[in-house]
Amino acid sequence: MEGYDIIKHKSPAFYDSFERKDELQNQTHYCPGCGHGVGHKLIAEALTDLGLQDRTVLVSPVGCSVFAYYYFDVGNVQVAHGRAPAAATALRRSNPESIVISYQGDGDLAAIGTAEIIHAANRGENITVIFMNNAIYGMTGGQMAPTTLVNQTSTTSPYGRNPQNEGFPLHMCELLSSLEAPVYIERVSLGDPKNIMKAQRAVKKALTLQSQKAGFTFIEILSPCPTIWKKDPIEARKWVSEVLMKTFPVGVYREKKLELPECKHAPQKTVAECIGATQGVEKTTGHRHHTRDISIKIAGFGGQGVLLLGQIIAEMGMRESMEVSWLPAYGPEMRSGSANCSVTLAHDRIGTPLITRPEVLVAMNEPSLRKFADTVAPGGVILYNRDRLPEDFSISHARVLCVPASAMADTLGSAKVANVVMLGALLEETECLPSESAIAVLESTVKNPKILELDKQAIKAGRDFVDNQVRVGAVPGPDGYAY
Ligand code: SF4
């Protein structure tokens, strides 16, 4: 796909192997007696039993289980704190045949990631969330978690959790089971072998349901953290059964088939049709002749009309019934700081507004040329706002057109129309859109007749420059385009 880098290699952040000290070769990186190892085993066993390994992607969280990707021979993604359900949503939606597991701890899921989990559950995403609840922040040394029990001490609640100050422990199964969409929610425990067997069945059931595309499944696993609880592994397991399970009762909180109500489906319309941008614009196949898919990066100083130029191109695309995206990026300095925007025009739906390999770069100043020239796709075009390139600059993989747009705008009578001169040059060079569209957009947005006239002259000046100064000898056709 144009405009994107498709990365097919392993992230350098993932080492080939997880090297351990000699004495640790035969154990996990988790503390002795930690529940994560058991949790991993339950998932791995279920995937193997169900034959799902080859189409599974595990989303690892931030927390003690941040290295989960070293334990599962499946697709792995490591995400920012709390964001696992959002990443899992994207993974599952973009590959509906995959099995996606979001593996999260209590800090990750129930504190910083509360919004993600609630909305993923509420949308009924076809993912399985394994929620390891040990009622404390383990990796960072024992701070109070959202699930910390009343009166339980932590480094940030040394006298115990006080509901008057810190609120009550969050009960995620109960909270999520108040939503319509989830199909299966169960809380299980790793306190003793009998409960571990139940946990095994629950994990397997959730993954079975996901493989049947049943909907959102959620398993909360009450898990020992002997190190932070300052207990030995046996005491810690006992504490799970005798204390943790009292606050967090195990059991099935939701088990139902999702009944979706009859709903009207939105008509498939382009954005332009939805907002009425096509009204009054003649839709003829003649125009389509001059529309083509393209990705454009426009960059320069703030105040040079960089973002506006992107907006004009995007609106032109809408008026031509194309799919468009416009993504601005600028620093806090709104004037004289750097600004850039990415514009994509396509006849099919656009996957992302991000452009890593623009087909065209419009560089309104030298820093932008130097910053973005290397990103232009091989065979692409750079339109540079000067009459020549800097002496120490060269580029071989893209064609550069020096268009002194600012100087030409000055000659026309206003430096402000340099971006419109560049628009004319871009349209002439790429033939991605008809210049009649640009005129139509300007006529509907520019109220001052004098400025509108200047804009029209600027478009013509940009087109003529490319036609006469760059494409020497090209003959314009009756429609004004040179082929
Ligand atoms: S700190 Fe607690 S949760 Fe983390 S690895 Fe150790 S026992 Fe497990």
Side-chain angles (χ1 to χ4, degrees):
M1 191 186 290
E2 291 293 336
Y4 303 89
D5 276 338
I6 298 177
I7 298 168
K8 289 186 176 155
H9 59 78
K10 180 166 62 68
S11 163
F14 287 3
Y15 299 124
D16 286 337
S17 58
F18 182 20
E19 300 297 340
R20 312 293 317 281
K21 293 184 207 159
D22 283 348
E23 64 272 26
L24 299 177
Q25 287 302 316
N26 295 318
Q27 65 188 65
T28 67
H29 79 285
Y30 297 113
C31 308
C34 173
H36 279 299
V38 180
H40 287 12
K41 190 163 183 232
L42 299 181
I43 296 169
E45 276 176 354
L47 291 176
T48 306
D49 290 354
L50 298 169
L52 299 175
Q53 179 183 0
D54 288 347
R55 56 189 178 109
T56 295
V57 184
L58 184 98
V59 186
S60 308
V62 170
C64 288
S65 51
V66 67
F67 289 150
Y69 44 78
Y70 286 121
Y71 295 93
F72 294 90
D73 186 11
V74 297
N76 284 285
V77 178
Q78 210 286 318
V79 295
H81 209 190
R83 308 299 175 244
T89 297
L91 287 162
R92 179 67 205 229
R93 285 191 179 203
S94 56
N95 185 359
E97 297 309 314
S98 60
I99 299 293
V100 182
I101 302 170
S102 174
Y103 186 96
Q104 299 179 262
D106 39 58
D108 187 88
L109 181 139
I112 193 169
T114 316
E116 276 76 7
I117 189 62
I118 287 181
H119 289 288
N122 196 43
R123 293 190 304 267
E125 298 295 343
N126 229 320
I127 60 174
T128 297
V129 178
I130 305 293
F131 171 39
M132 300 297 286
N133 179 7
N134 55 24
I136 203 83
Y137 277 80
M139 185 178 79
T140 49
Q143 293 86 352
M144 192 185 74
T147 50
T148 296
L149 307 185
V150 171
N151 287 325
Q152 182 183 346
T153 56
S154 71
T155 56
T156 48
S157 56
Y159 298 101
R161 181 178 194 152
N162 179 350
Q164 280 188 315
N165 201 41
E166 290 99 34
F168 290 91
L170 271 183
H171 290 68
M172 291 309 297
C173 283
E174 291 83 339
L175 197 63
L176 296 181
S177 62
S178 70
L179 304 172
E180 289 290 327
V183 295
Y184 181 52
I185 297 175
E186 181 167 358
R187 182 181 290 127
V188 294
S189 152
L190 302 182
D192 55 54
K194 195 172 148 203
N195 275 293
I196 292 174
M197 299 287 281
K198 284 186 184 167
Q200 186 184 36
R201 283 194 290 274
V203 170
K204 196 166 177 180
K205 181 162 186 174
L207 290 170
T208 303
L209 286 167
Q210 187 184 162
S211 70
Q212 296 163 351
K213 301 186 175 170
F216 181 84
T217 51
F218 182 89
I219 307 297
E220 176 174 342
I221 301 180
L222 302 179
S223 172
C225 173
T227 303
I228 303 294
W229 294 352
K230 297 188 174 48
K231 299 181 190 302
D232 69 33
I234 294 173
E235 283 174 343
R237 287 195 182 254
K238 244 174 124 182
W239 199 76
V240 170
S241 297
E242 293 175 2
V243 180
L244 210 50
M245 280 170 62
K246 283 209 174 89
T247 297
F248 298 108
V250 296
V252 176
Y253 284 80
R254 167 68 57 84
E255 188 171 11
K256 67 159 197 183
K257 197 169 173 292
L258 182 58
E259 304 286 347
L260 287 171
E262 278 294 312
C263 288
K264 286 184 193 160
H265 291 284
Q268 293 287 311
K269 279 184 176 180
T270 63
V271 175
E273 286 164 344
C274 290
I275 66 171
T278 53
Q279 280 172 14
V281 177
E282 191 187 355
K283 277 207 237 171
T284 64
T285 49
H287 272 187
R288 302 254 334 167
H289 177 63
H290 293 301
T291 63
R292 72 172 178 89
D293 293 10
I294 196 166
S295 56
I296 307 167
K297 170 83 81 182
I298 306 163
F301 291 128
Q304 282 187 305
V306 165
L307 306 186
L308 178 63
L309 176 54
Q311 285 174 327
I312 292 172
I313 296 169
E315 185 160 345
M316 288 168 65
M318 287 197 291
R319 286 171 185 247
E320 295 300 324
S321 300
M322 298 182 81
E323 298 291 321
V324 306
S325 70
W326 171 79
L327 186 70
Y330 41 84
E333 329 88 316
M334 288 297 284
R335 285 286 174 268
S336 302
S338 62
N340 73 74
C341 66
S342 302
V343 180
T344 303
L345 306 177
H347 290 99
D348 289 326
R349 291 176 68 184
I350 297 168
T352 168
L354 296 174
I355 298 176
T356 52
R357 287 253 159 236
E359 201 180 327
V360 177
L361 167 66
V362 177
M364 294 299 287
N365 61 10
E366 187 179 326
S368 301
L369 175 75
R370 293 187 187 277
K371 185 171 178 186
F372 294 112
D374 284 343
T375 69
V376 174
V381 175
I382 299 172
L383 294 162
Y384 178 48
N385 178 23
R386 284 289 180 279
D387 56 359
R388 71 190 58 169
L389 286 172
E391 277 182 10
D392 62 343
F393 179 89
S394 69
I395 192 154
S396 57
H397 73 277
R399 188 168 125 80
V400 183
L401 274 65
C402 290
V403 181
S406 293
M408 291 164 67
D410 280 340
T411 308
L412 289 170
S414 171
K416 286 185 178 168
V417 294
N419 58 346
V420 186
V421 172
M422 210 47 119
L423 174 62
L426 180 137
L427 297 177
E428 185 64 25
E429 173 60 23
T430 65
E431 293 172 2
C432 61
L433 288 163
S435 52
E436 294 88 329
S437 269
I439 303 291
V441 170
L442 292 167
E443 280 177 342
S444 63
T445 51
V446 180
K447 302 295 172 221
N448 184 321
K450 279 190 188 157
I451 295 175
L452 179 61
E453 183 51 36
L454 207 55
D455 280 335
K456 289 180 180 174
Q457 289 173 19
I459 287 183
K460 184 172 184 316
R463 288 190 58 189
D464 287 350
F465 183 87
V466 171
D467 218 8
N468 301 322
Q469 310 284 321
V470 180
R471 289 183 182 177
V472 179
V475 182
D479 57 0
Y481 290 87
Y483 301 101

